Amino acid sequence: MADEKDAEPMAQLYDRFLNRSAVGMFLVALMFAYSAVEQVLGGNLPLFLNYAEKMLAILVVIVVAPVTFKVYWRKRSLLGSCSEPEGFLTTIFQKAATRAFTGGFLALMVLYVLFEKQMVSWPAAVLVPALLAFNLMVASVSFFLDNLSDDESDFDDEDDLGAEVEQ
Amino acid sequence: MSRLNNRIRVYRAEHRMSQGELAAKIGVSRKTISTIEVGKFVPSTVIALKIAGLFDVPVEEIFSLAEE
């Protein structure tokens, strides 16, 4: 079992890392959103939401940390000779990061243009987590949507392979 | 606007190779191979050359441009 896991190709491991990172970003976005709402409401949130936030933090560590360490150790063991494997998920992850930056920039521009005067009184404790939540949400949702596909048309079955050759 | 056609699936079938096997041989993930096959992902020159090299054919045997 351990050997089977160790034999996981680096590219496959890196894809798993990117998937987990996107899930982690989504969960952190929820935590930032909670933080912003908490500031707005002055801490008058139901107690279970407080526990939910802590659970989210633990979940982030559980989801992201193991695969992150695995990628780190694998890279170290390759003595730095391995660059990030290129591939579909790496590309859509970069695209998601670009969209998050663009979305955040546009959101700030819109806020500035529409609410320039009112913004003076907006507390940073609300604005900063809200923008962080927005950016992370855009990045993770963009990644998930691009990753949704019906392209899992592998044919590992010997008969299918034969049929394909005959065509 | 150009579209990139590919014959990876055909060559895989000829070599009786699954997406996972091909992916492992050229050092990419299975998802990358499946998205290249369906035309959702345009591979880098390096990946294209690795695939062609694996099947021992010129890269233009596998990839071709289709004008839309």
Side-chain angles (χ1 to χ4, degrees), chain A residues 8-17 85, chain B residues 20 23 28-31:
Chain A
E8 183 180 20
M10 183 62 187
Q12 214 59 44
L13 176 66
Y14 201 74
D15 268 16
R16 198 149 60 89
F17 167 69
Chain B
V28 298
S29 63
R30 201 183 76 83
K31 181 91 181 174

Side-chain angles (χ1 to χ4, degrees), chain A residues 15 86 151-152 154-156 165, chain B residues 9 13 18 29-30 35 44:
Chain A
D15 268 16
E86 48 190 326
D151 53 40
E152 303 297 326
D154 196 7
F155 47 92
D156 287 328
V165 173
Chain B
R9 197 180 170 91
S18 69
S29 63
R30 201 183 76 83
T35 48
S44 68

Side-chain angles (χ1 to χ4, degrees), chain B residues 6-67:
Chain B
N6 73 82
R7 302 180 66 220
I8 298 174
R9 197 180 170 91
V10 174
Y11 275 93
R12 269 201 311 115
E14 279 178 11
H15 289 75
R16 309 194 76 77
M17 194 182 280
S18 69
Q19 287 179 344
E21 287 164 347
L22 172 59
K25 281 191 161 89
I26 64 166
V28 298
S29 63
R30 201 183 76 83
K31 181 91 181 174
T32 297
I33 295 296
S34 68
T35 48
I36 293 172
E37 277 190 6
V38 298
K40 192 173 176 182
F41 175 56
V42 177
S44 68
T45 313
V46 174
I47 293 178
L49 287 169
K50 279 182 178 177
I51 294 171
L54 184 76
F55 293 129
D56 202 21
V57 292
V59 75
E60 57 268 31
E61 271 292 313
I62 297 179
F63 296 99
S64 60
L65 277 181
E67 294 295 328

